[in-house]
Amino acid sequence: MKTIFISGTAGSGKSLLTSKLYDYYTKNGAFVAVLNLDPGVESMPYTCDVDVRDYVDIVSIMHQYDLGPNGAMIMANDLIAAKIDDIQNEVNRINPDYLIVDTPGQIELFAYRSSGRFLVENISSDEKTNIFLFDGALITTPVNFVSIALLATSIRLRLNLPTINVVTKTDLIEDKLKEILQWSTNLNTLENAISKEADGDTYSLTTNILRGLNLGGFAQGLIPISNVTGEGLVNLEGALSRILNLGEEVED
């Protein structure tokens, strides 16, 4: 079994991409299952095979412990970690070729609490990778782009997984997409764009972060994806294959 985690900021399209990847792999002959790790989600665009909501109930937690929504989400994620054996048993019974893991909308609850890292490490799998979603609507300015790039790098450090960076909602940012992709592959272009938008402390801070990301090998480019049309999924699957299957592509 190969495991693919889907992470990103709230509203970046994690669940939609989960659905698109599920359909893509299934149409190409792979046996795929989806694990939902978000205890607070109300509806999903896919059929969930393993669902943490079967183990924790946000409303019950709020009432039992007199917590607000945020406090209940924190407790729920910690309780989920305690159910890892049950979750793993469910996954083992299904025994898919690929397990796609849709992570919680509040990325800080998953990536920065010990329970999230624990789940990543203790889901048994032959290979694992993470897809980080750059929300296209959030990265249309160079300073915002660097901010999300810093977050993506931080998440990669926290999860300790090989990571593929994608930009979503490409159908909404067609006029900016070419420029954004240039930022992701040519750091000089990005730094020049920052100089036109920011000055003083903002320019200094942003460019220093950018250079640090360059030293960390960030400049690997983004894969553009449209969750509406499915455009870009072939390129994403190719990147996944290079990590998970040593380059053996899923046949079309």
Side-chain angles (χ1 to χ4, degrees):
M1 183 182 78
K2 315 295 174 64
T3 301
I4 303 167
F5 292 87
I6 312 291
S7 64
T9 53
S12 58
K14 293 186 292 294
S15 294
L16 276 174
L17 182 58
T18 297
S19 175
K20 293 293 183 181
L21 269 179
Y22 176 90
D23 291 343
Y24 182 89
Y25 275 119
T26 300
K27 288 176 182 177
N28 285 282
F31 179 33
V32 188
V34 177
L35 164 59
N36 168 49
L37 283 182
D38 191 343
V41 67
E42 293 185 359
S43 62
M44 296 172 291
Y46 54 80
T47 300
C48 192
D49 299 286
V50 183
D51 194 339
V52 296
R53 294 177 300 176
D54 294 336
Y55 299 99
V56 296
D57 185 317
I58 291 292
V59 175
S60 296
I61 291 173
M62 290 173 64
H63 291 160
Q64 183 176 351
Y65 297 98
D66 194 24
L67 294 171
N70 290 333
M73 283 292 292
I74 291 171
M75 176 168 280
N77 277 275
D78 291 344
L79 292 173
I80 290 166
K83 297 291 185 179
I84 184 62
D85 289 341
D86 295 325
I87 293 169
Q88 184 68 59
N89 287 337
E90 275 201 75
V91 172
N92 290 344
R93 282 195 293 271
I94 299 169
N95 193 27
D97 300 320
Y98 294 93
L99 177 69
I100 304 175
V101 183
D102 190 6
T103 65
Q106 295 95 325
I107 193 170
E108 67 277 7
L109 291 180
F110 177 69
Y112 294 113
R113 292 186 64 80
S114 58
S115 55
R117 176 71 174 264
F118 177 84
L119 286 165
V120 168
E121 292 177 343
N122 286 277
I123 291 177
S124 180
S125 182
D126 296 323
E127 300 289 344
K128 301 175 186 176
T129 191
N130 176 51
I131 300 173
F132 183 88
L133 277 56
F134 282 63
D135 187 333
L138 297 181
I139 59 170
T140 55
T141 69
V143 171
N144 282 2
F145 179 91
V146 173
S147 297
I148 300 299
L150 179 61
L151 175 63
T153 304
S154 175
I155 299 302
R156 182 174 183 173
L157 289 173
R158 280 292 302 159
L159 299 185
N160 193 31
L161 291 174
T163 299
I164 299 167
N165 294 313
V166 308
V167 54
T168 59
K169 304 180 182 177
T170 56
D171 48 297
L172 300 180
I173 55 167
E174 291 179 351
D175 57 330
K176 293 286 293 185
L177 181 58
K178 182 178 179 180
E179 186 176 16
I180 289 170
L181 294 178
Q182 287 177 337
W183 293 343
S184 74
T185 55
N186 188 321
L187 297 181
N188 288 330
T189 299
L190 178 53
E191 189 165 333
N192 289 335
I194 294 167
S195 69
K196 295 176 183 178
E197 177 187 298
D199 53 22
D201 290 343
T202 300
Y203 174 79
S204 177
L205 176 61
T206 306
T207 53
N208 283 334
I209 290 172
L210 177 60
R211 290 162 189 163
L213 294 176
N214 186 23
L215 292 174
F218 170 74
Q220 57 181 302
L222 295 172
I223 298 175
I225 296 289
S226 171
N227 285 333
V228 174
T229 65
E231 185 177 359
L233 281 175
V234 172
N235 293 332
L236 175 57
E237 190 281 322
L240 287 167
S241 180
R242 284 189 288 274
I243 293 173
L244 298 175
N245 303 317
L246 301 179
E248 296 180 7
E249 303 288 344
V250 172
E251 296 294 333
D252 289 325

